[in-house]
Short mmCIF file of all heavy atoms in Angstrom, two decimals:
data_model
loop_
_atom_site.label_atom_id
_atom_site.label_comp_id
_atom_site.label_asym_id
_atom_site.label_seq_id
_atom_site.Cartn_x
_atom_site.Cartn_y
_atom_site.Cartn_z
N ASN T 138 128.15 98.16 76.42
CA ASN T 138 129.61 98.16 76.45
C ASN T 138 130.15 98.55 77.82
O ASN T 138 131.12 97.98 78.30
CB ASN T 138 130.17 99.14 75.41
CG ASN T 138 130.19 98.50 74.03
OD1 ASN T 138 130.29 97.28 73.92
ND2 ASN T 138 130.08 99.31 73.00
N LYS T 139 129.53 99.54 78.41
CA LYS T 139 130.04 100.05 79.69
C LYS T 139 129.43 99.27 80.86
O LYS T 139 129.72 99.58 82.02
CB LYS T 139 129.70 101.54 79.85
CG LYS T 139 130.29 102.41 78.77
CD LYS T 139 131.81 102.40 78.82
CE LYS T 139 132.40 103.29 77.73
NZ LYS T 139 133.84 103.04 77.53
N GLU T 140 128.54 98.33 80.54
CA GLU T 140 127.86 97.55 81.60
C GLU T 140 127.31 98.48 82.69
O GLU T 140 127.49 98.25 83.88
CB GLU T 140 128.81 96.52 82.21
CG GLU T 140 129.24 95.47 81.18
CD GLU T 140 130.25 94.47 81.73
OE1 GLU T 140 130.71 94.66 82.87
OE2 GLU T 140 130.57 93.52 81.00
N SER T 141 126.64 99.54 82.24
CA SER T 141 126.09 100.52 83.18
C SER T 141 124.97 99.89 84.00
O SER T 141 124.29 98.98 83.53
CB SER T 141 125.54 101.72 82.43
OG SER T 141 126.61 102.42 81.84
N PRO T 142 124.75 100.40 85.22
CA PRO T 142 123.67 99.85 86.05
C PRO T 142 122.29 100.19 85.49
O PRO T 142 122.16 101.09 84.65
CB PRO T 142 123.87 100.52 87.41
CG PRO T 142 124.65 101.76 87.11
CD PRO T 142 125.49 101.46 85.91
N SER T 143 121.27 99.47 85.97
CA SER T 143 119.95 99.63 85.37
C SER T 143 119.37 101.03 85.58
O SER T 143 118.55 101.48 84.79
CB SER T 143 118.99 98.57 85.92
OG SER T 143 119.14 98.45 87.31
N GLU T 144 119.79 101.74 86.64
CA GLU T 144 119.26 103.11 86.85
C GLU T 144 119.58 104.00 85.65
O GLU T 144 118.78 104.86 85.26
CB GLU T 144 119.85 103.76 88.12
CG GLU T 144 119.44 103.12 89.42
CD GLU T 144 120.20 101.85 89.72
OE1 GLU T 144 121.28 101.63 89.13
OE2 GLU T 144 119.72 101.06 90.55
N VAL T 145 120.79 103.79 85.06
CA VAL T 145 121.18 104.60 83.90
C VAL T 145 120.25 104.28 82.71
O VAL T 145 119.82 105.17 81.98
CB VAL T 145 122.67 104.33 83.53
CG1 VAL T 145 123.05 105.06 82.25
CG2 VAL T 145 123.58 104.78 84.67
N PHE T 146 119.91 102.98 82.56
CA PHE T 146 118.98 102.58 81.49
C PHE T 146 117.62 103.24 81.69
O PHE T 146 117.04 103.80 80.75
CB PHE T 146 118.84 101.05 81.49
CG PHE T 146 117.74 100.54 80.60
CD1 PHE T 146 117.85 100.58 79.22
CD2 PHE T 146 116.57 100.01 81.15
CE1 PHE T 146 116.83 100.10 78.39
CE2 PHE T 146 115.55 99.53 80.33
CZ PHE T 146 115.68 99.59 78.95
N ILE T 147 117.11 103.19 82.94
CA ILE T 147 115.77 103.74 83.22
C ILE T 147 115.76 105.24 82.92
O ILE T 147 114.92 105.74 82.17
CB ILE T 147 115.36 103.50 84.70
CG1 ILE T 147 115.34 102.00 85.05
CG2 ILE T 147 114.01 104.14 85.00
CD1 ILE T 147 114.27 101.20 84.40
N GLU T 148 116.72 105.97 83.52
CA GLU T 148 116.75 107.43 83.38
C GLU T 148 117.05 107.86 81.94
O GLU T 148 116.41 108.76 81.41
CB GLU T 148 117.85 108.03 84.29
CG GLU T 148 117.51 108.04 85.76
CD GLU T 148 116.35 108.96 86.08
OE1 GLU T 148 116.32 110.10 85.57
OE2 GLU T 148 115.46 108.52 86.84
N GLY T 149 118.07 107.22 81.34
CA GLY T 149 118.57 107.72 80.06
C GLY T 149 117.80 107.22 78.86
O GLY T 149 117.66 107.94 77.86
N ILE T 150 117.30 105.97 78.93
CA ILE T 150 116.70 105.38 77.72
C ILE T 150 115.21 105.06 77.89
O ILE T 150 114.38 105.43 77.07
CB ILE T 150 117.46 104.09 77.30
CG1 ILE T 150 118.92 104.43 77.00
CG2 ILE T 150 116.80 103.44 76.09
CD1 ILE T 150 119.80 103.23 76.68
N PHE T 151 114.88 104.37 79.00
CA PHE T 151 113.53 103.83 79.11
C PHE T 151 112.46 104.92 79.29
O PHE T 151 111.48 104.97 78.55
CB PHE T 151 113.46 102.80 80.26
CG PHE T 151 112.16 102.06 80.32
CD1 PHE T 151 111.77 101.24 79.27
CD2 PHE T 151 111.30 102.21 81.39
CE1 PHE T 151 110.56 100.56 79.29
CE2 PHE T 151 110.09 101.53 81.44
CZ PHE T 151 109.72 100.71 80.38
N ILE T 152 112.67 105.81 80.26
CA ILE T 152 111.66 106.88 80.50
C ILE T 152 111.50 107.74 79.24
O ILE T 152 110.37 107.95 78.77
CB ILE T 152 112.01 107.73 81.75
CG1 ILE T 152 111.94 106.85 83.00
CG2 ILE T 152 111.07 108.91 81.89
CD1 ILE T 152 112.34 107.53 84.30
N PRO T 153 112.63 108.24 78.64
CA PRO T 153 112.44 109.04 77.41
C PRO T 153 111.71 108.26 76.31
O PRO T 153 110.94 108.83 75.54
CB PRO T 153 113.88 109.35 76.98
CG PRO T 153 114.70 109.22 78.21
CD PRO T 153 114.04 108.19 79.07
N SER T 154 111.93 106.92 76.24
CA SER T 154 111.28 106.14 75.17
C SER T 154 109.78 106.10 75.34
O SER T 154 109.03 106.37 74.41
CB SER T 154 111.82 104.71 75.15
OG SER T 154 113.17 104.71 74.77
N TYR T 155 109.31 105.73 76.56
CA TYR T 155 107.84 105.61 76.67
C TYR T 155 107.18 106.97 76.75
O TYR T 155 106.03 107.12 76.33
CB TYR T 155 107.42 104.66 77.81
CG TYR T 155 107.59 105.13 79.24
CD1 TYR T 155 106.83 106.17 79.77
CD2 TYR T 155 108.48 104.49 80.10
CE1 TYR T 155 106.96 106.57 81.09
CE2 TYR T 155 108.61 104.88 81.43
CZ TYR T 155 107.86 105.93 81.92
OH TYR T 155 107.99 106.32 83.22
N GLU T 156 107.89 107.98 77.24
CA GLU T 156 107.26 109.31 77.30
C GLU T 156 107.10 109.91 75.91
O GLU T 156 106.21 110.72 75.68
CB GLU T 156 108.08 110.24 78.21
CG GLU T 156 107.85 109.95 79.69
CD GLU T 156 108.57 110.92 80.61
OE1 GLU T 156 109.44 111.67 80.13
OE2 GLU T 156 108.25 110.91 81.83
N SER T 157 107.98 109.50 74.97
CA SER T 157 107.86 110.06 73.62
C SER T 157 107.19 109.06 72.67
O SER T 157 107.26 109.21 71.46
CB SER T 157 109.23 110.45 73.09
OG SER T 157 110.06 109.29 73.06
N GLY T 158 106.57 108.01 73.24
CA GLY T 158 105.83 107.04 72.41
C GLY T 158 106.73 106.17 71.56
O GLY T 158 106.31 105.70 70.50
N LYS T 159 107.97 105.94 72.01
CA LYS T 159 108.89 105.14 71.19
C LYS T 159 109.19 103.79 71.82
O LYS T 159 110.25 103.21 71.60
CB LYS T 159 110.20 105.91 70.98
CG LYS T 159 110.03 107.10 70.07
CD LYS T 159 111.34 107.81 69.83
CE LYS T 159 111.15 109.01 68.92
NZ LYS T 159 112.32 109.89 68.93
N LEU T 160 108.24 103.28 72.63
CA LEU T 160 108.49 102.02 73.31
C LEU T 160 108.68 100.88 72.30
O LEU T 160 109.57 100.04 72.46
CB LEU T 160 107.33 101.70 74.26
CG LEU T 160 107.55 100.51 75.19
CD1 LEU T 160 108.77 100.73 76.08
CD2 LEU T 160 106.34 100.26 76.06
#
Side-chain angles (χ1 to χ4, degrees):
N138 278 333
K139 300 296 180 195
E140 296 177 354
S141 292
S143 44
E144 293 79 19
V145 175
F146 170 71
I147 301 291
E148 286 295 315
I150 300 176
F151 188 63
I152 295 177
S154 293
Y155 72 68
E156 283 184 347
S157 59
K159 290 182 180 166
L160 189 60

